[in-house]
Amino acid sequence: MKSFCLLLLAFCLFSCSGSSDPSENKSDNHVSTDTLPKYDSSIEKGKAIPEIKCLKDSSVNYALYLPKKYSADEKFPVIFFFDSHGGGNFPLEKYKDLAEKYGYILAGSNNSKNGMSWEQNEQQIKIFMEDVKSKIHVDSRRIYACGFSGGSRVASSVAIFDGGINCVIGMGAGFPSLSEPIHNRFDYIGFAGNEDFNMNEMIELSASMDKSPIKHQLIVFNGKHEWAPAEVAEDAFVWLEVNAMRVGLISKNDSIIKNFISKNENELTRLQEKKKIHDVLLICKKVVNYMDGLAEVTQFKTKIEELNKSDDLTKEIDRQRNLSKEEMTRQENYRNNFVLKDLSWWTNEIKKLNKQTNNKNDEGQSQMNKRLLGYLSLLAYMNVSSVLESNQLDLAVSFLKIYEMVDPKNSEHQYLFAELYARKNDNAKALSSLKNALTLGFSDYARMESDSSLLVLQNNPDFQKILNEMKKK
């Protein structure tokens, strides 16, 4: 986890593809229609379109959302999305109201997903992004990449390895592994739930960026390993807007600035009343980071200076640092013991973790144990996938039981149970597991329809019934 963070210290950033001189970027977004190429005018506005095939390669497709105000005679900023499961339309539906409010094009890859190497992914990402640019009038100075979990690492990879990205919005995961300094220039804003097993990674990444030229911000919200809720993700849109104002890409918008400061002042009052001294510090730093140079932030800087002299703050930071060390140690122990410990040991360990998540006297401990449960869920998934791939079916049964115990509401373990039983030619149990997966919310119709492990069920009427139910969803 620490390796990529240490590499950030060696950042060597050069100019990005756009001009670095604000005076060269102050031209109005409206351009002469005589100079414009022909853009696709048939794409419906104000509606998330789940699949658009690329002209260069029809196997590459993406979801697209054009705000109602979109016009081909005006340049618009675009955010390219990468979901960990290849659900390009999911973030578009989630953030389309924000796209309307701030005037952004949203485009989500349906091909990029976890399990693909960068070498497998890079070319189709280029095809996807170029297709969007060929059909829609995009402001080339305001191209952004956003992803969740593995998709967050993909979004960062586009900026790091290919360039042309003004800012990365990373949710639930940081950078890919790096073996050399980063040369492409981009801003960064990260999001992590306080129950996300990758939260500490995101905190370390942000701390490492403090020693780099990257302009960055980290938002920790109340949540799990998930796409940030729309009301939280609005901070990303504001981040993009104020940074564009700061370098002269767009005009200064006093309404956005005033609303942001007012919202955070209210949050500051709430946190001060609850005596959450470290959270107060983070809000003050956030306002300064967003607004310095655009608004008066002296009161927030003064508050930061006062808080940094507080013994209570020092104690709280030390406590959080110790919790982080404990969490990383326990994660390492779980990794080392996953195969070594039997089902009985894991049953007891998971019971203890679940009990400790309800510790009302220590919110930090409670959140840490929730993160550890999330980490165990991921660990179980990875180990199950590995032994299924190597056809170690008996071991897969044991691992799947751990997966089911640690994350009972996740549909994935039931789907993997179905694959396991189908390989064992136990069709009745395979179908029962698929029904359970459907009940828990499994909805990947394409995956189930093309899954070679389930070929033995293809002609079974019950299988077709489950498939049809999933298609309706």
Side-chain angles (χ1 to χ4, degrees):
M1 183 182 297
K2 293 183 179 179
S3 59
F4 61 84
C5 292
L6 294 174
L7 283 161
L8 290 171
L9 304 183
F11 272 166
C12 181
L13 299 173
F14 301 109
S15 61
C16 57
S17 58
S19 169
S20 59
D21 183 358
S23 65
E24 296 179 21
N25 294 316
K26 292 183 179 178
S27 60
D28 195 283
N29 274 353
H30 290 278
V31 294
S32 169
T33 54
D34 295 335
T35 63
L36 288 176
K38 295 293 183 182
Y39 292 106
D40 192 337
S41 59
S42 67
I43 301 173
E44 187 175 354
K45 294 182 284 186
K47 178 183 178 181
I49 301 168
E51 183 178 306
I52 294 178
K53 294 182 178 180
C54 294
L55 294 175
K56 187 175 181 180
D57 183 348
S58 61
S59 69
V60 180
N61 65 89
Y62 56 92
L64 184 68
Y65 184 85
L66 300 182
K68 292 174 184 176
K69 64 179 76 173
Y70 172 78
S71 169
D73 62 359
E74 185 178 347
K75 295 180 289 186
F76 280 76
V78 60
I79 304 176
F80 290 100
F81 286 90
F82 301 95
D83 179 59
S84 55
H85 300 295
N89 198 46
F90 183 81
L92 272 58
E93 290 287 353
K94 197 171 188 68
Y95 303 136
K96 63 184 180 182
D97 289 344
L98 293 171
E100 282 296 333
K101 182 175 180 178
Y102 293 98
Y104 280 68
I105 298 164
L106 309 181
S109 170
N110 288 326
N111 296 86
S112 177
K113 63 180 67 176
N114 283 357
M116 300 176 68
S117 67
W118 175 243
E119 290 71 26
Q120 291 173 309
N121 220 354
E122 184 180 21
Q123 190 57 37
Q124 65 179 14
I125 289 173
K126 287 181 178 179
I127 292 171
F128 152 50
M129 293 175 68
E130 287 305 318
D131 197 80
V132 172
K133 294 173 191 176
S134 71
K135 292 173 179 172
I136 306 299
H137 196 195
V138 169
D139 187 342
S140 61
R141 306 163 307 169
R142 301 192 65 198
I143 296 176
Y144 309 109
C146 175
F148 165 66
S149 193
S152 177
R153 302 193 199 283
V154 171
S156 296
S157 295
V158 176
I160 291 167
F161 301 125
D162 291 340
I165 302 298
N166 184 274
C167 180
V168 173
I169 306 166
M171 298 190 179
F175 284 2
S177 297
L178 300 174
S179 58
E180 60 183 51
I182 293 174
H183 299 286
N184 291 318
R185 181 178 176 180
F186 56 91
D187 297 334
Y188 186 87
I189 182 167
F191 291 83
N194 54 16
E195 297 175 13
D196 187 339
F197 52 83
N198 279 337
M199 185 193 77
N200 286 319
E201 173 193 331
M202 298 295 283
I203 291 173
E204 284 195 15
L205 175 61
S206 183
S208 294
M209 286 184 181
D210 290 342
K211 303 175 181 69
S212 83
I214 287 183
K215 184 169 179 58
H216 64 281
Q217 175 66 45
L218 175 64
I219 307 293
V220 177
F221 61 92
N222 292 324
K224 302 180 292 185
H225 186 63
E226 59 185 332
W227 285 98
E231 62 272 18
V232 174
E234 185 167 9
D235 275 351
F237 285 79
V238 175
W239 177 254
L240 302 182
E241 290 291 289
V242 297
N243 286 334
M245 293 177 207
R246 187 174 284 106
V247 297
L249 293 178
I250 59 175
S251 301
K252 186 177 178 182
N253 187 316
D254 290 330
S255 176
I256 289 176
I257 292 169
K258 288 177 182 178
N259 287 340
F260 179 83
I261 292 175
S262 176
K263 174 185 172 183
N264 283 278
E265 283 177 335
N266 291 337
E267 179 65 5
L268 203 57
T269 300
R270 186 186 72 83
L271 292 170
Q272 285 174 329
E273 288 173 353
K274 292 192 171 185
K275 297 182 178 179
K276 293 193 171 185
I277 188 169
H278 187 245
D279 290 339
V280 168
L281 176 70
L282 294 179
I283 289 291
C284 290
K285 286 185 172 181
K286 174 184 172 184
V287 174
V288 171
N289 199 20
Y290 271 74
M291 293 299 163
D292 202 12
L294 294 173
E296 178 56 58
V297 293
T298 302
Q299 61 173 322
F300 298 100
K301 289 181 177 180
T302 301
K303 186 67 176 178
I304 291 169
E305 290 176 3
E306 292 174 0
L307 289 169
N308 282 330
K309 298 174 184 177
S310 166
D311 290 338
D312 289 339
L313 178 64
T314 301
K315 290 176 184 177
E316 176 60 21
I317 290 174
D318 285 344
R319 189 186 72 85
Q320 292 189 17
R321 189 176 291 119
N322 290 333
L323 269 179
S324 177
K325 288 179 181 177
E326 179 186 347
E327 185 174 344
M328 286 189 284
T329 298
R330 291 174 70 176
Q331 284 185 354
E332 184 178 5
N333 288 337
Y334 288 154
R335 284 197 303 273
N336 294 338
N337 287 317
F338 195 86
V339 179
L340 300 176
K341 298 294 185 181
D342 61 19
L343 193 58
S344 175
W345 188 91
W346 282 112
T347 301
N348 290 330
E349 185 66 16
I350 292 166
K351 282 181 180 178
K352 283 193 292 183
L353 282 172
N354 278 310
K355 185 177 181 180
Q356 291 164 354
T357 60
N358 297 316
N359 186 348
K360 295 180 180 179
N361 297 321
D362 193 331
E363 185 180 41
Q365 280 280 351
S366 177
Q367 289 172 352
M368 181 188 73
N369 284 292
K370 289 177 181 177
R371 292 194 294 270
L372 286 170
L373 284 168
Y375 180 77
L376 266 180
S377 175
L378 175 65
L379 197 60
Y381 168 77
M382 293 172 66
N383 277 276
V384 169
S385 299
S386 176
V387 295
L388 278 177
E389 189 174 337
S390 58
N391 212 38
Q392 299 177 69
L393 302 187
D394 290 338
L395 203 52
V397 172
S398 177
F399 290 173
L400 275 168
K401 287 179 179 177
I402 297 172
Y403 193 7
E404 186 177 20
M405 278 192 296
V406 78
D407 201 355
K409 295 181 180 180
N410 192 330
S411 64
E412 184 66 22
H413 51 71
Q414 290 303 308
Y415 184 84
L416 293 174
F417 262 125
E419 287 190 337
L420 170 69
Y421 290 132
R423 292 189 192 191
K424 288 189 164 192
N425 294 313
D426 192 337
N427 292 0
K429 284 187 177 181
L431 290 166
S432 177
S433 295
L434 283 175
K435 289 176 184 177
N436 291 338
L438 188 65
T439 300
L440 289 170
F442 187 86
S443 59
D444 195 339
Y445 174 84
R447 175 184 173 190
M448 182 172 161
E449 184 184 40
S450 61
D451 194 334
S452 59
S453 297
L454 303 179
L455 280 175
V456 68
L457 302 174
Q458 287 290 337
N459 296 324
N460 189 299
D462 288 335
F463 178 82
Q464 291 300 322
K465 183 179 179 181
I466 295 170
L467 202 58
N468 288 334
E469 285 182 37
M470 193 174 296
K471 191 174 185 178
K472 289 176 185 177
K473 286 190 174 183

